Amino acid sequence: MNRRAAAGWLLSAAIVAAVVHTLTPVLPKTVTGLLTWGAGLLLIADISPQSRRQILILMAVGAVGIGWGLIHRIQPDWRMMLSGNALLLSMLAAVSFLRLITRPDTLAGERLPSGRRAVWSTLLGVHLFGAVINLSSVFIMGDRISRKGRLNRAQTVILTRGFTAAAFWSPFFAAMAAALTYAPGASLPQIWLMGIPLALCALLFTALGCQHNQQFTGYPMHPEALLLPGILAICVLLLNQWHSDWHILGIIALLAPGLSLAVLFLRHPQPRTRARQHITTDLPGMQNELTLFLAAGVMAAGLNAVFAVFGGWLPFDQFSGTEASLVLLFMVTTSILGVHPVINIAALGTLLAPLNPDASLLAMTFIASWAIGTGTSPFSGINLAMQGRYAQQSGDSLKWNGLYGAVMVMLSILVLNLYDTTILH
């Protein structure tokens, strides 16, 4: 068995361990953490240069923080470092199985739509499929509608914003997983109460700006392909309501691969071969996000030690809508400058934890920052991918999405403050 295949099996074992831990805490989360670290160490040679730089910085910050704490006789939180992001990573690995049964494929010989209808079908298609199978939906659609390997401005804007707006609400996104990890106790229905209206505003703003382009060539929408992911999302919510003591990341880790493999064995002529291929080939492809989240756990442990040395210094006395707005502005600004949202979430989640903030308000702050920052920053993963795949200029993403980002920041601030004043007070 080669190195990457071994990492895939370790990640599969981590999913199983996360589910068992969710159902019965007799199995410690440390087991899941060890399995994800094992996979990360096997894949560390394959990470991209950009991710390698970020990981080295995170590890260095964490190591310095841990060393600083030890000098001042503060014992590091080794459990945080080892397994703080274990459920998150298991959930991301589990969600990848949805690609086995959900693809936005066109029918044989089907003509691509154009005009206003094409704008909406492409926007809704990339948003809904992206909410389930993540970045691969952008490339499936982008490759189909591109001309000579290039996308025009309207196509790029629709694919980028449609995809990143799914971060506002999708339980299958890394944004949600990170927010639920660093804002423990957050309620998915309350997050949806804020996130879904923001996603609808993002889609409407984008569509209104592009629908007058009669030359726009888009992608056909087939809603029936979203039936199974829709059933999965409903099951996640119902099971979370039935067993509120089960962590929602563990619930997703249970249901996503379970439903995907069940459907695969009913539909596919060679289900075992396809499932094995996914484990040994597709799962190891998450090496960048895997190692980034592992490094973020090290940084969080280091920052936790530093904050303890400084006697629990906090930037705020409370965490209300005003403070959430300031955090949102800070995170979006630093994201545009190139700071990965994971870094901000891990650092600020650790820093603000002693305030005992409302978990749903904090989680939505993180989620909105992720959705807006990744959509506008020229350094975000999706925009770097668009630059490399479709010959986009590095400054185009900020130039084309700057106004959109500003509007969404203002709307997010409004929603966060409305939640604070109407729900919390």
Side-chain angles (χ1 to χ4, degrees), residues 56-414:
L56 288 174
I57 292 171
L58 294 180
M59 297 288 281
V61 170
V64 170
I66 290 171
W68 182 260
L70 288 172
I71 290 172
H72 291 81
R73 299 182 179 180
I74 300 293
Q75 271 298 112
D77 190 342
W78 300 114
R79 188 175 298 179
M80 175 187 288
M81 184 177 72
L82 181 64
S83 58
N85 290 333
L87 285 181
L88 181 160
L89 288 168
S90 300
M91 173 268 201
L92 293 180
V95 165
S96 72
F97 281 84
L98 292 171
R99 299 172 200 163
L100 295 171
I101 61 170
T102 307
R103 284 176 62 87
D105 295 326
T106 52
L107 302 176
E110 184 175 10
R111 292 184 61 184
L112 297 179
S114 59
R116 179 181 297 184
R117 183 172 67 90
V119 168
W120 279 104
S121 67
T122 307
L123 186 62
L124 291 175
V126 74
H127 181 77
L128 296 174
F129 281 108
V132 179
I133 62 172
N134 294 324
L135 194 56
S136 57
S137 64
V138 177
F139 299 141
I140 291 171
M141 294 186 176
D143 290 350
R144 182 72 174 86
I145 66 177
S146 62
R147 289 188 177 182
K148 297 180 179 179
R150 290 177 178 270
L151 297 172
N152 60 36
R153 173 173 176 169
Q155 290 171 327
T156 303
V157 162
I158 282 176
L159 290 177
T160 302
R161 295 185 197 169
F163 171 70
T164 56
F168 280 115
W169 64 273
S170 174
F172 312 119
F173 246 62
M176 183 72 76
L180 294 176
T181 298
Y182 289 97
S187 163
L188 186 60
Q190 289 184 339
I191 290 173
W192 281 353
L193 183 66
M194 295 178 274
I196 291 177
L198 285 172
L200 291 174
C201 288
L203 296 178
L204 183 61
F205 182 87
T206 301
L208 291 177
C210 298
Q211 67 178 359
H212 300 298
N213 187 340
Q214 296 301 318
Q215 305 303 315
F216 179 86
T217 300
Y219 198 93
M221 176 69 172
H222 297 295
E224 62 274 9
L226 286 163
L227 177 62
L228 288 173
I231 292 173
L232 176 62
I234 293 171
C235 289
V236 168
L237 182 61
L238 292 177
L239 197 53
N240 179 239
Q241 294 297 309
W242 180 46
H243 261 290
S244 57
D245 55 321
W246 289 357
H247 199 294
I248 194 161
L249 299 182
I251 293 174
I252 295 171
L254 167 67
L255 295 178
L259 176 65
S260 300
L261 291 174
V263 173
L264 182 71
F265 272 76
L266 289 173
R267 287 182 176 177
H268 203 278
Q270 295 180 308
R272 287 184 177 85
T273 301
R274 182 66 189 95
R276 189 181 301 110
Q277 179 188 21
H278 180 78
I279 291 171
T280 58
T281 305
D282 299 342
L283 266 185
M286 63 179 288
Q287 70 265 4
N288 289 331
E289 55 194 323
L290 170 64
T291 49
L292 189 63
F293 276 112
L294 290 173
V298 176
M299 183 195 70
L303 291 177
N304 193 52
V306 170
F307 298 152
V309 170
F310 284 103
W313 174 85
L314 294 169
F316 310 123
D317 296 325
Q318 60 177 355
F319 191 79
S320 64
T322 301
E323 289 75 23
S325 302
L326 293 173
V327 170
L328 176 77
L329 288 168
F330 172 80
M331 291 183 67
V332 171
T333 302
T334 53
S335 291
I336 291 173
L337 295 176
V339 178
H340 197 285
V342 171
I343 300 173
N344 274 328
I345 291 174
L348 291 169
T350 305
L351 175 63
L352 298 173
L355 287 174
N356 294 316
D358 177 79
S360 299
L361 179 63
L362 181 61
M364 193 62 229
T365 304
F366 290 158
I367 289 167
S369 303
W370 186 303
I372 300 167
T374 54
T376 54
S377 172
F379 304 106
S380 69
I382 181 172
N383 282 319
L384 287 173
M386 297 292 277
Q387 292 166 27
R389 198 176 187 100
Y390 303 113
Q392 204 179 298
Q393 297 298 312
S394 59
D396 286 348
S397 55
L398 186 57
K399 180 170 63 177
W400 294 346
N401 297 305
L403 177 61
Y404 162 81
V407 169
M408 292 312 301
V409 164
M410 289 188 289
L411 289 174
S412 297
I413 288 174
L414 175 63

